Amino acid sequence: MEWKAIPWQKLERKVYKLQKRIYRASQRGDVKMTRRLQKMLMKSWAAKCLSVRRVTQDNQGKKTAGVDGVKSLTPKQRLILVENLKLCSKVAPTRRVWIPKPGKEEKRPLGIPTMKDRALQALVKLALEPEWEARFEANSYGFRPGRSCHDAVQAIYDTIRFKGKYVLDADIAKCFDQIDHKALLRKLNTFPTIRRQIRAWLKGGVMDAKQLFPTTEGTPQGGVISPLLANIALHGMENLIKRVFPKRGYSENGVKKTFYPPSVIRYADDFVILHEDLTIVQSGKDIIQEWLKDMGLELKPSKTRLAHTLNPYEQEQPGFDFLGFNIRQYKVGKYHSGKDKYGRALGIKPIITPSKDKQKVHYEQIAEVINAHRNAPQVALIKKLNPIIRGWANYYATQVSKVAYCDQDYLMYQKLRAWAKRRHPKKSGGWVSKKYWQSIDGDNWVFATRQKGNNPTRLLKHSETPIKRYVKVKGESSPYNGNLVYWSSRMGNNPEMPKTLATLLKKQKGKCTHCGLIFRENDVMEVDHRIPKSQGGKDFYDNWQLLHRHCHDTKTVTDGSLGNQSGCNSAKPKLTKRLERVEDKWVMRYA
């Protein structure tokens, strides 16, 4: 069978059904059934094909080679890789690449496995992830399908909305690099085949500057399965705190009250402990420190801070920074105050804004781009800045960010004005303004090009991004529970998703128009022109459709986008009916 002729829809349905069964078996504690289904999944040809497609077509690292130099596989090479995809204890070392941390001079080590090991890791992850998704704690949000930074921030908001609390803001030092291998494998507690394979990946070594170094601890950052292993290593933190400080009722001066345990909210290796009692937060810190020693980990003192969300504590200012947001409470009057469940004013209000550090890093990034384009055309500068502005503004569009947006726009305007004056030192300020700024839709100061007869290329403004409140994921809900309607609708409301993708998702009811499958949380999506631009297609929503990246590749081969004559005869493909079985229903599709 050729790669393009593989029935991907059937393979995805088959694998997803097995993953749902693994999730449910793990949820009810049926270990024997879980192991049997995992073995069935990893032996299936469908799972192997999907794993190879994930690392060779969908992932951004498909053009990055490991120590063997293999990258950008052809369809024939992908089929060969599928046939040779078998678990074994012999693995190649990872290739180490040092990448800079954002806004810092410090660098992070990235381990790049070979293409075969990446496909194997994707295959093992298909089997392990549903099992552990049924076990993971409700307030664990990092590196999990269907969860994001905004869920963690919203969980903190829900915790502090009614009263001020003490907070331990902590970070685990070199989490990925110091996880104890024996403790991780013991906690993983899986069957011998997967255990030997994961142990081989952990002990495979790393190649740095043509020298081989052994790996005695840690998981390689850059592997497909590494985030899942890190989550497994840190699983249990929240449950431990709840066991030590259980919910209980007590009486104080004849009044019945309830003691609530501390709230532990974790995103990867960053976590916070929140409670109104200082001694409980301090005790929680000591308990977590002892618990981390079993995994070979420890807290990073420079990033561990004890503060209060409303009042100054010792020499610490109120509030704390978490995932790029500054979270704190303010004393306000009755007209701005939050209310309790009985409608009574509390006199306080939690406000979450972009942190000062992240605002500074963002401005420095914009200034660096402007400085690098001193002699470039205005169009090139705008096209380089727009993705940076759009991504940063969308990330913070769920909280109180309008003031920060206006500050960034003002600083960016000052930088652009200096950029424009430098290009025309002998011209007046009015002449420069008329050349580079226009009046569009009532806004008199839009940095845009002057093009006759066409829409001008304009620079986005931070303040144009609308603020939309984020709805946190429901409790312990997971994409493997089978509620595809809930998860497909959540994707359209994701603040990190561009407006074009969200609009097309809503228009297509969460489905890919090429294969007919509902988009899942981890799918890579791309916007495609129904009528290719080479055949006169326009950039309008009526001519756009949202496809999987692999579906986009398949369509591009046949629709004439690459100059193929086979697809140039008809701009609109002929519609043919086909009957397919989806779950327990028969549906009519058009192809």
Side-chain angles (χ1 to χ4, degrees):
M1 179 179 292
E2 294 185 6
W3 185 260
K4 63 181 180 180
I6 294 177
W8 294 108
Q9 302 95 315
K10 295 181 180 179
L11 303 192
E12 289 201 17
R13 293 192 195 106
K14 181 178 180 180
V15 171
Y16 183 62
K17 285 182 180 180
L18 281 175
Q19 288 180 316
K20 284 195 298 184
R21 292 178 64 188
I22 293 171
Y23 176 86
R24 291 167 182 166
S26 177
Q27 206 172 35
R28 64 177 180 264
D30 192 343
V31 179
K32 187 176 180 180
M33 177 62 71
T34 301
R35 301 288 179 259
R36 186 173 70 84
L37 291 172
Q38 286 175 332
K39 293 177 182 177
M40 184 188 305
L41 177 64
M42 290 191 299
K43 290 180 181 178
S44 70
W45 186 73
K48 292 180 180 179
C49 287
L50 291 177
S51 301
V52 171
R53 187 181 69 174
R54 170 67 67 178
V55 300
T56 60
Q57 284 188 271
D58 290 344
N59 286 357
Q60 294 292 345
K62 61 186 179 181
K63 297 180 181 179
T64 305
V67 293
D68 59 353
V70 176
K71 61 178 181 178
S72 302
L73 300 186
T74 62
K76 186 176 181 180
Q77 291 173 327
R78 295 171 199 156
L79 287 173
I80 295 174
L81 180 57
V82 170
E83 296 300 325
N84 297 330
L85 205 61
K86 296 179 182 179
L87 299 182
C88 62
S89 57
K90 293 183 179 180
V91 300
T94 60
R95 182 170 70 90
R96 173 159 291 175
V97 177
W98 295 90
I99 59 174
K101 290 187 177 181
K104 299 180 181 178
E105 296 182 359
E106 185 181 356
K107 291 188 176 182
R108 176 187 291 116
L110 193 67
I112 303 175
T114 61
M115 193 66 73
K116 181 180 179 181
D117 285 334
R118 275 180 253 176
L120 276 174
Q121 289 184 16
L123 180 62
V124 173
K125 186 180 179 182
L126 287 177
L128 283 181
E129 193 170 58
E131 175 193 357
W132 282 93
E133 276 295 311
R135 300 186 191 180
F136 282 145
E137 298 148 326
N139 286 319
S140 168
Y141 298 101
F143 303 132
R144 291 182 58 187
R147 291 165 182 254
S148 66
C149 302
H150 301 86
D151 291 297
V153 173
Q154 191 62 35
I156 294 175
Y157 177 86
D158 294 341
T159 303
I160 66 173
R161 63 183 301 185
F162 295 124
K163 61 176 63 176
K165 294 185 178 182
Y166 288 95
V167 56
L168 174 72
D169 180 17
D171 179 63
I172 300 173
K174 298 181 179 179
C175 177
F176 280 87
D177 300 331
Q178 294 185 352
I179 294 176
D180 184 79
H181 291 171
K182 290 183 179 179
L184 175 60
L185 292 172
R186 185 170 58 250
K187 193 172 185 178
L188 192 60
N189 191 27
T190 186
F191 56 92
T193 307
I194 291 185
R195 178 187 173 87
R196 285 193 297 267
Q197 183 65 67
I198 292 179
R199 185 181 184 278
W201 284 327
L202 296 175
K203 300 289 186 181
V206 59
M207 188 74 72
D208 190 2
K210 298 183 180 181
Q211 290 186 349
L212 180 63
F213 297 94
T215 50
T216 57
E217 59 185 9
T219 63
Q221 298 186 52
V224 178
I225 203 173
S226 296
L228 176 61
L229 295 179
N231 265 336
I232 293 173
L234 298 176
H235 170 66
M237 188 184 298
E238 182 181 355
N239 294 333
L240 173 66
I241 295 295
K242 289 183 177 180
R243 286 198 304 269
V244 177
F245 303 102
K247 180 181 177 181
R248 65 181 186 274
Y250 67 99
S251 179
E252 183 178 327
N253 298 328
V255 180
K256 291 184 178 180
K257 295 186 177 181
T258 304
F259 172 83
Y260 292 96
S263 299
V264 181
I265 298 166
R266 180 174 67 85
Y267 187 90
D269 57 346
D270 295 335
F271 69 93
V272 294
I273 301 177
L274 296 154
H275 199 268
E276 55 190 294
D277 192 335
L278 176 61
T279 58
I280 291 178
V281 175
Q282 292 173 332
S283 300
K285 176 184 176 182
D286 298 335
I287 292 168
I288 294 297
Q289 282 180 325
E290 289 297 321
W291 181 79
L292 288 173
K293 289 181 180 178
D294 295 336
M295 295 300 302
L297 302 173
E298 61 181 2
L299 297 180
K300 191 172 185 177
S302 62
K303 290 189 177 182
T304 300
R305 177 174 174 263
L306 188 62
H308 194 271
T309 57
L310 179 62
N311 304 314
Y313 170 72
E314 295 183 349
Q315 297 180 352
E316 298 288 346
Q317 293 296 318
F320 62 99
D321 291 345
F322 189 69
L323 301 177
F325 292 90
N326 178 260
I327 304 168
R328 64 172 294 186
Q329 293 169 314
Y330 294 86
K331 294 180 180 179
V332 295
K334 62 179 181 180
Y335 295 108
H336 295 87
S337 171
K339 297 180 180 180
D340 62 10
K341 59 182 179 181
Y342 301 108
R344 297 173 297 195
L346 299 171
I348 60 174
K349 185 176 183 178
I351 295 180
I352 303 176
T353 59
S355 67
K356 296 296 183 182
D357 290 340
K358 295 302 180 182
Q359 292 184 49
K360 181 181 178 182
V361 170
H362 178 60
Y363 171 70
E364 289 176 350
Q365 186 180 9
I366 288 178
E368 183 180 352
V369 172
I370 295 175
N371 291 336
H373 288 72
R374 289 180 178 178
N375 300 319
Q378 186 183 14
V379 176
L381 176 61
I382 292 175
K383 289 184 177 180
K384 190 69 175 180
L385 285 176
N386 275 347
I388 299 173
I389 296 170
R390 185 186 294 111
W392 193 86
N394 285 344
Y395 180 78
Y396 291 102
T398 61
Q399 304 299 338
V400 186
S401 304
K402 277 297 182 183
V403 174
Y405 286 169
C406 294
D407 291 343
Q408 292 293 325
D409 286 337
Y410 175 75
L411 293 173
M412 185 170 62
Y413 167 75
Q414 298 293 338
K415 195 71 179 175
L416 289 172
R417 188 177 66 172
W419 174 87
K421 285 187 175 181
R422 179 188 174 276
R423 296 166 70 92
H424 307 280
K426 297 182 180 181
K427 298 293 184 178
S428 64
W431 187 93
V432 172
S433 299
K434 289 181 180 180
K435 179 174 177 60
Y436 292 104
W437 278 268
Q438 294 190 50
S439 177
I440 299 177
D441 297 333
D443 190 349
N444 295 329
W445 290 97
V446 179
F447 190 75
T449 60
R450 292 189 176 275
Q451 298 178 5
K452 296 181 179 179
N454 297 320
N455 292 327
T457 303
R458 57 167 298 178
L459 182 68
L460 298 177
K461 291 185 178 181
H462 298 79
S463 56
E464 294 174 347
T465 304
I467 302 297
K468 295 182 179 179
R469 298 304 170 207
Y470 185 76
V471 180
K472 191 176 77 69
V473 65
K474 293 180 181 178
E476 299 180 358
S477 183
S478 170
Y480 298 109
N481 62 8
N483 192 353
L484 291 179
V485 176
Y486 171 75
W487 288 105
S488 60
S489 63
R490 275 191 67 83
M491 292 179 67
N493 297 326
N494 194 320
E496 295 182 351
M497 181 167 291
K499 180 180 181 298
T500 303
L501 267 64
T503 304
L504 291 174
L505 261 179
K506 184 177 180 180
K507 186 177 180 181
Q508 297 174 195
K509 298 181 180 180
K511 295 182 180 180
C512 172
T513 56
H514 187 270
C515 65
L517 293 176
I518 292 178
F519 288 108
R520 293 166 64 183
E521 188 70 20
N522 290 332
D523 288 344
V524 182
M525 296 172 286
E526 292 184 348
V527 177
D528 171 67
H529 292 78
R530 298 176 185 270
I531 303 176
K533 298 184 73 173
S534 60
Q535 301 177 22
K538 303 296 183 181
D539 284 328
F540 294 110
Y541 278 104
D542 292 341
N543 192 42
W544 285 340
Q545 60 181 347
L546 199 59
L547 307 177
H548 293 100
R549 176 176 287 178
H550 44 267
C551 292
H552 193 191
D553 292 344
T554 303
K555 176 184 175 297
T556 303
V557 172
T558 57
D559 68 354
S561 298
L562 300 177
N564 300 320
Q565 297 300 323
S566 60
C568 294
N569 295 328
S570 59
K572 295 183 179 179
K574 183 180 178 181
L575 294 179
T576 57
K577 294 182 180 180
R578 69 174 186 269
L579 200 62
E580 291 184 357
R581 187 176 180 85
V582 180
E583 299 294 334
D584 297 326
K585 298 179 181 179
W586 288 94
V587 298
M588 183 71 70
R589 296 195 189 281
Y590 291 87

